[in-house]
Amino acid sequence: MKNLLLGIGSTMKSLQAMLIGFGALGILAIGFMDAAFIPLPGGPDVVVMALSHHNHAMMPVYVIAAVLGSTIGSLILYLAACKGGEAVLRKFSPEKRARVEDLLERYDILAMLLASVLPPPFPFKLFVLTAGAFKMQLWRFVAALIVGRGFRFLLEGLLAVKYGEQATDIFKNHYPKIGLGVAAAIIVIFLFNSLLKKRRREVTS
């Protein structure tokens, strides 16, 4: 079993290395595969930083390709969950399922946005599957992914342009803090906006 896992890991690394040679198209494919069904070592994050470091001018293109690939791959899971319903969630523990269902029910697009920004081990795929199983509006799902993943990949590209080979270490060491900071900022903005709407309703009523 151990040899099988090592063989699979080696194959995934070779596949990723081959796709990197295709530049933006390779990133799109890596983002798609990583989000949809085949987790690749480091996913599109490491590839965006590596290619952006070697070609600064192409960084925005790499970011867009990563966002598109990740969004399309997540859509595959979303649509599969729409068709399969709650049955696709059975492999997750009841506690995790209940927690994610509650977050999506209460906060909808905001919860999905936070899930797309936060780094592993945050259960992003569970959010995607739950959104599909409970029929979250498609446009809201896609909007959250584009904004959240867009922020993440753009930050990676900017780090690579500015810090070069050190960008990967900086991202690993500091992104969890940055991601949580962004999540907190989004929550504050959401609460502030909700408070404003509530006061406006009180004034007009």
Side-chain angles (χ1 to χ4, degrees):
M1 184 66 178
K2 183 178 179 181
N3 290 335
L4 176 61
L5 292 175
L6 289 173
I8 293 173
S10 177
T11 301
M12 291 300 99
K13 287 181 180 180
S14 298
L15 176 61
Q16 186 178 41
M18 180 192 72
L19 290 172
I20 289 174
F22 291 94
L25 289 177
I27 291 180
L28 192 150
I30 290 169
F32 170 79
M33 294 168 63
D34 185 72
F37 47 86
I38 306 177
L40 296 174
D45 301 286
V46 172
V47 182
V48 167
M49 286 188 281
L51 293 183
S52 296
H53 165 54
H54 290 292
N55 192 338
H56 294 182
M58 286 291 290
M59 184 270 285
V61 178
Y62 297 145
V63 169
I64 292 172
V67 173
L68 285 176
S70 184
T71 300
I72 296 170
S74 297
L75 269 174
I76 298 298
L77 290 184
Y78 171 90
L79 294 173
C82 282
K83 186 175 181 179
E86 294 186 53
V88 301
L89 303 174
R90 287 176 182 169
K91 67 177 182 178
F92 300 100
S93 68
E95 293 79 12
K96 286 185 177 180
R97 287 166 52 186
R99 193 179 309 122
V100 172
E101 287 169 21
D102 180 62
L103 287 172
L104 284 173
E105 183 179 352
R106 292 172 62 187
Y107 301 110
D108 193 59
I109 192 172
L110 175 65
M112 199 67 235
L113 176 60
L114 294 179
S116 65
V117 170
L118 292 174
F122 195 81
F124 174 67
K125 282 186 172 61
L126 175 55
F127 273 78
V128 173
L129 291 171
T130 303
F134 291 93
K135 305 295 191 298
M136 179 181 181
Q137 282 187 309
L138 181 60
W139 76 266
R140 298 170 75 84
F141 174 78
V142 172
L145 285 183
I146 291 174
V147 173
R149 286 314 203 203
F151 169 83
R152 179 168 174 160
F153 294 136
L154 179 59
L155 177 62
E156 292 167 357
L158 292 173
L159 285 173
V161 169
K162 185 170 183 179
Y163 297 105
E165 295 179 355
Q166 297 178 340
T168 302
D169 291 333
I170 293 173
F171 181 79
K172 287 180 179 178
N173 293 332
H174 298 288
Y175 186 79
K177 299 175 185 176
I178 296 171
L180 290 173
V182 172
I186 292 172
I187 292 172
V188 169
I189 292 171
F190 174 79
L191 293 175
F192 181 71
N193 188 51
S194 299
L195 181 61
L196 283 179
K197 288 181 179 179
K198 182 179 179 181
R199 288 187 176 178
R200 286 171 186 167
R201 286 196 297 266
E202 291 175 350
V203 169
T204 55
S205 61

